[in-house]
Amino acid sequence: MVLNPTPALLDSLYWITLFAVVVSSASAVLKAGFKQFDLFGVIIIAIATGLGGGSLRDMLLDREVFWIRDQVFFIASLVSAITIFLTARVVAMSPKLFLIPDAAGLATFGIAGTLVSLVTGAPWLVASFMGVMTGTMGGIFRDLLCNETPVVFQSQLYATVSWGGSLLFIGLLYMDLEVSLAASIAGLCIFGARLLAIRYNISLPRFRFKS
């Protein structure tokens, strides 16, 4: 399945990606903030989180990296980081608050990654996994830089809901649903499923050796 990159589709992709960068960068600041990093450290982690997954995706797809082509994404990540850094000084925040923008970033980057891959002509299964990678790699970079085990490897349903949402998005496109509507439905499903998994502690079975 190859999507024709019409102006409307590219416009939708632009705004989805921009929102993903902002919320993912915000989640990074909230996570890094509890490590008591200074402003520069927080900004570096925010940029790695907000731009890392999409950068890896673009390199694998042999595309020009999105934030190098358009520095608005880099600026958005920077502004998001500084804004949350300053806001945290005047507003009390829970250590788990980062999970909400993290879920939003997972959803929006997952859809954006899938969409970009389809536009470049990737097969549907590869495109769905590119969505997972785009949605999760920023969080992995964030957690590694914070010297923690990545959330994706030990938390409630994370990459699973991202992959399910990416496949749902592709399925809706095959049903000839308009791209923006399909992206909204699939993205909300990823976001909602991730929050429900956290709320009810739903996770995949963990590996263990027979005793």
Side-chain angles (χ1 to χ4, degrees), residues 39-53:
L39 177 60
F40 182 77
V42 165
I43 288 174
I44 292 299
I45 293 174
I47 290 173
T49 306
L51 307 178

Side-chain angles (χ1 to χ4, degrees), residues 48 50-67 109 117 129-130 132-138 140-141:
L51 307 178
S55 298
L56 183 58
R57 173 205 65 207
D58 288 345
M59 287 186 284
L60 289 173
L61 292 174
D62 197 24
R63 300 174 72 244
E64 185 180 5
V65 177
F66 73 105
W67 59 271
F109 261 135
S117 302
F129 188 73
M130 281 291 181
V132 178
M133 190 186 66
T134 309
T136 60
M137 283 307 299
I140 292 174
F141 293 149

Side-chain angles (χ1 to χ4, degrees), residues 51-208:
L51 307 178
S55 298
L56 183 58
R57 173 205 65 207
D58 288 345
M59 287 186 284
L60 289 173
L61 292 174
D62 197 24
R63 300 174 72 244
E64 185 180 5
V65 177
F66 73 105
W67 59 271
I68 294 178
R69 183 178 66 252
D70 186 347
Q71 67 173 351
V72 167
F73 297 108
F74 182 85
I75 295 171
S77 179
L78 190 63
V79 170
S80 177
I82 295 173
T83 300
I84 298 298
F85 182 89
L86 296 176
T87 302
R89 290 173 169 262
V90 296
V91 178
M93 296 185 179
S94 165
K96 293 186 177 181
L97 183 62
F98 86 95
L99 291 171
I100 296 176
D102 182 62
L106 178 71
T108 47
F109 261 135
I111 298 303
T114 304
L115 188 54
V116 166
S117 302
L118 291 173
V119 168
T120 59
W124 67 268
L125 186 58
V126 173
S128 70
F129 188 73
M130 281 291 181
V132 178
M133 190 186 66
T134 309
T136 60
M137 283 307 299
I140 292 174
F141 293 149
R142 175 199 65 208
D143 294 340
L144 291 176
L145 289 171
C146 289
N147 198 30
E148 293 188 359
T149 302
V151 170
V152 65
F153 300 142
Q154 62 177 359
S155 183
Q156 297 84 358
L157 299 180
Y158 195 89
T160 308
V161 298
S162 178
W163 206 344
S166 294
L167 290 171
L168 173 62
F169 177 53
I170 293 171
L172 293 173
L173 292 178
Y174 268 111
M175 294 168 60
D176 292 325
L177 208 64
E178 196 271 327
V179 173
S180 296
L181 180 57
S184 298
I185 293 173
L188 286 173
C189 284
I190 296 173
F191 180 71
R194 170 60 178 154
L195 293 184
L196 286 173
I198 294 171
R199 174 66 178 81
Y200 295 104
N201 195 30
I202 304 170
S203 60
L204 294 177
R206 293 174 181 265
F207 177 86
R208 65 180 181 183

